[in-house]
Each structure stands twice: as C-alpha cells, then as structure tokens.
Amino acid sequence: MLASSRVQLTTIAFASCILLYWFFHESIANTSECLITSSAYDQSASSSYSYVNLNTERSNTSLSPVLILTPFKQSVQFIDRYFDNINRLTYPHKLISLGFLVSDSSDGTIEKLQARSQAETERFNSIRIFQKDFQYDLATTEERHAFEVQVQRRSIMAKSRNTLLSAALTQDHEWVLWLDGDVVDYPETLLEELIGMNKDVLAPNCFWQSYNEEGGYDKNNWQETPESRSFLETLPEDQVLVEGYPELVTHRKLMIDMRFEGETDLFHAVPLDAVGGTCTLVRAKVHRDGAIFPPFVYQHQVETEGLAKMAKSLGYEVWGLPNYLVYHYI
C-alpha cells in the first residue's frame, strides 16, 4: 500500500511538473509574442517629429541643391544617353537629385530606368522613380503632335508633371530643372550657367539638329504681342491656345525666332510669357508658392505655358535665353 502510494505521488508530482512546464512555457511564449506584436505596432504607429524654419532666407549661390525632374513614357531608347549626358554635367553630382515618373509604358522603360538608376545611385544625392499610369496612349509621333489631340494630351502631361513634382520636391531643393528625356545634347555647364543667371523661371532655346542642319523645336517659349493680346480678348474663357499649328494663328513671338536677333551674347536674356518643358529651370520657391502645371484652362493655356502664366500671376518673372541652345531628338 505504501509503495503504491509512493508511485501515485511520484506520478502526480511528475504530471504536475509537466503541467507547470507547459503552463509557464506557453505564458512566456504568449508574452513574447505580445511584446513582439506590441513592439511592431508601436514602431509602425510611431511618428517622427521635425521642425523646419521655412522663413530662413535661402542663399542664391551657384552651388545649391538641384532637383532634375523627367517624365518618361515609352522611352527605353533614350535612357542610356540621358544618363550619359547627366554624368557629364560639371555641377557637383552630390548636389543633384534625380526624380522620374514613368507612365503608360510597355517597352521596358521602367525596367531599364531601374537598372540604370541602381548603377548610378552612388553618383548623386538621390534617385527616385515613381510609376503612375494615366491610361492615355497615342501610337505614333504623328498622332502625338496632331492638332486635334493637343489639349487632351497636354492636360495628361500636366497631371504627370504635377504628380512627379509633388512626390519628389523636398524642402532641401532650391532649384528644379525640368528636362525632357529626349533632350539629347546640352552644355556640360548647363546647371551652373542657368542657376548663375538667378532667374525665377528660365528656359534655354530648344532646337533640333541633324548632320548638316538645325532648326527650332520648342515653340512653347514665347512672348505675347499687341496682336496676340487683342486676339485673346476675342476668345471665350475656356479656349486653349497651342503654338505652331496653321489651324490656329496666335500672333505670338516664338523664342526660336529670336536667336541672334540683334544680340549674339550667349547669355542674353529676354522676358517671356510662356515656357515649354523640354529644358526649363524653376526656382523651387515658385513651385512651393503654387505655380503648378495646370491640367485645366488657365489664361487660355495648359501645362507648361500655364505654369509660366501662374508664375507671373504670383509676381515672378519668366525669362528665356534665345542664343543658348539645347537639342531635342527628332
């Protein structure tokens, strides 16, 4: 009887130890799980605190942080040359940030851009790629430049630029260079020369060239004239004007027609009322104060010309360099 009692007590004690072990093991495991979950929750729920005094006067020195912004669409063939040109810039690369928006592309643009950006990332302050499709496609270059599609096409381009601007611009950037991906040649000193002009909005003259000839490309850099202002007064408020089409004569003076017009100095600047987006430098403050690329009608313009109109409404000046050339692919 005594031996039997001892066996029972031993069995009970052993069983109790097992129960206690599993009880405490599960409790510790559950506690650890709760701590891990809580820690992850705290980490994801926590928010950082920062203070930025935007009243601080920004310097106008030639060495300032620059953000180069480029929208890409079906542009895989231009990416290598784009980076080769950027790499040749003499401006300090660590002061240059690159921002890209890829939209509606099925030709490998996003994959090529990612691969090249990863290979170049150590050269620059930062490289950021964004992707946003607008479900808008024109099959050929001829269709893209057809008069009847310009308002809708330019409205989509405005949305693309605004998306890129809002995603990429930070308080650190003092200048924004809008550079089209198919601008294939420009001076290596482009940034320091444009920034050194210290203009709110500044556009070089964008031409095309072949092996033995050249001509004006970007017709969106222009001045109003007395005739064009009179013409504007006859239009309904929602009428959008575009340049370079015989279907619509606007009477404006295009910067491509001002080259060497009484002045041969490379840095001769003329006031403009509108700019294109092939190559345009904008003081970042102009964007921060509200100058965007309107996808809606603003003073009879949309997109880049609308940006210039907005900048002037905000009290900023818009300038062009008729003798300073950059070249666009044709």
Side-chain angles (χ1 to χ4, degrees):
M1 179 67 69
L2 183 58
S4 176
S5 297
R6 287 178 178 174
V7 170
Q8 290 177 355
L9 289 172
T10 302
T11 302
I12 292 171
F14 180 73
S16 299
C17 288
I18 293 176
L19 289 173
L20 288 171
Y21 168 79
W22 282 110
F23 174 79
F24 284 111
H25 174 77
E26 289 299 315
S27 296
I28 292 171
N30 289 337
T31 301
S32 299
E33 184 178 354
C34 289
L35 288 173
I36 293 171
T37 303
S38 176
S39 175
Y41 173 80
D42 290 341
Q43 188 175 20
S44 63
S46 64
S47 59
S48 60
Y49 170 81
S50 65
Y51 169 76
V52 179
N53 185 359
L54 296 178
N55 292 313
T56 303
E57 190 70 24
R58 292 178 178 267
S59 67
N60 289 323
T61 63
S62 58
L63 295 180
S64 304
V66 182
L67 174 64
I68 300 179
L69 295 180
T70 301
F72 276 122
K73 177 179 178 178
Q74 296 288 94
S75 302
V76 66
Q77 72 271 27
F78 297 115
I79 290 173
D80 281 332
R81 187 164 183 176
Y82 177 94
F83 275 98
D84 291 345
N85 287 335
I86 291 288
N87 284 336
R88 281 194 286 268
L89 288 172
T90 55
Y91 199 81
H93 286 188
K94 285 302 181 180
L95 291 175
I96 299 174
S97 299
L98 304 177
F100 304 105
L101 183 84
V102 178
S103 62
D104 300 303
S105 296
S106 57
D107 65 344
T109 294
I110 187 67
E111 293 81 7
K112 178 70 174 180
L113 183 60
Q114 287 175 323
R116 189 65 195 260
S117 296
Q118 289 169 4
E120 302 285 351
T121 187
E122 296 299 323
R123 291 178 178 264
F124 300 98
N125 180 268
S126 67
I127 302 177
R128 303 176 71 192
I129 301 172
F130 306 92
Q131 187 170 8
K132 170 66 177 175
D133 294 329
F134 297 93
Q135 285 73 51
Y136 185 75
D137 182 49
L138 292 171
T140 67
T141 300
E142 289 75 16
E143 289 179 345
R144 187 179 73 175
H145 290 291
F147 174 75
E148 59 272 12
V149 304
Q150 287 311 298
V151 175
Q152 183 184 14
R153 171 178 168 267
R154 300 292 301 283
S155 178
I156 296 295
M157 291 172 63
K159 292 179 180 179
S160 174
R161 291 184 186 276
N162 290 333
T163 299
L164 177 55
L165 177 66
S166 63
L169 182 65
T170 73
Q171 72 271 15
D172 299 319
H173 301 127
E174 296 187 28
W175 298 95
V176 178
L177 178 70
W178 291 95
L179 183 65
D180 275 2
D182 43 8
V183 171
V184 294
D185 193 19
Y186 47 83
E188 297 175 358
T189 51
L190 177 77
L191 283 176
E192 53 263 49
E193 289 173 344
L194 296 189
I195 291 172
M197 297 289 291
N198 197 29
K199 303 294 188 183
D200 299 324
V201 180
L202 181 64
N205 214 352
C206 185
F207 270 48
W208 59 266
Q209 66 177 348
S210 65
Y211 69 96
N212 64 349
E213 59 182 350
E214 65 180 19
Y217 182 87
D218 196 340
K219 299 177 180 179
N220 297 325
N221 301 308
W222 44 259
Q223 294 174 338
E224 298 283 13
T225 65
E227 294 78 12
S228 71
R229 295 186 191 280
S230 297
F231 177 59
L232 290 175
E233 293 176 0
T234 69
L235 300 177
E237 291 186 358
D238 61 349
Q239 174 72 50
V240 177
L241 299 182
V242 291
E243 302 304 316
Y245 294 90
E247 297 93 332
L248 182 61
V249 179
T250 64
H251 308 285
R252 285 154 170 170
K253 186 174 183 178
L254 308 184
M255 189 166 71
I256 60 172
D257 299 323
M258 301 181 199
R259 188 183 182 195
F260 301 142
E261 188 178 62
E263 181 62 66
T264 59
D265 179 23
L266 187 66
F267 299 103
H268 168 60
V270 297
L272 295 180
D273 294 294
V275 295
T278 51
C279 181
T280 299
L281 183 73
V282 181
R283 195 186 304 275
K285 187 177 186 298
V286 177
H287 281 312
R288 292 189 183 100
D289 282 354
I292 62 166
F293 300 90
F296 49 84
V297 183
Y298 185 81
Q299 296 183 12
H300 301 291
Q301 306 299 151
V302 295
E303 210 221 348
T304 57
E305 302 96 305
L307 166 76
K309 294 283 188 177
M310 280 192 168
K312 297 191 74 169
S313 294
L314 288 165
Y316 293 107
E317 295 182 342
V318 178
W319 295 85
L321 297 173
N323 301 332
Y324 191 109
L325 299 187
V326 301
Y327 289 97
H328 196 281
Y329 173 84
I330 57 166

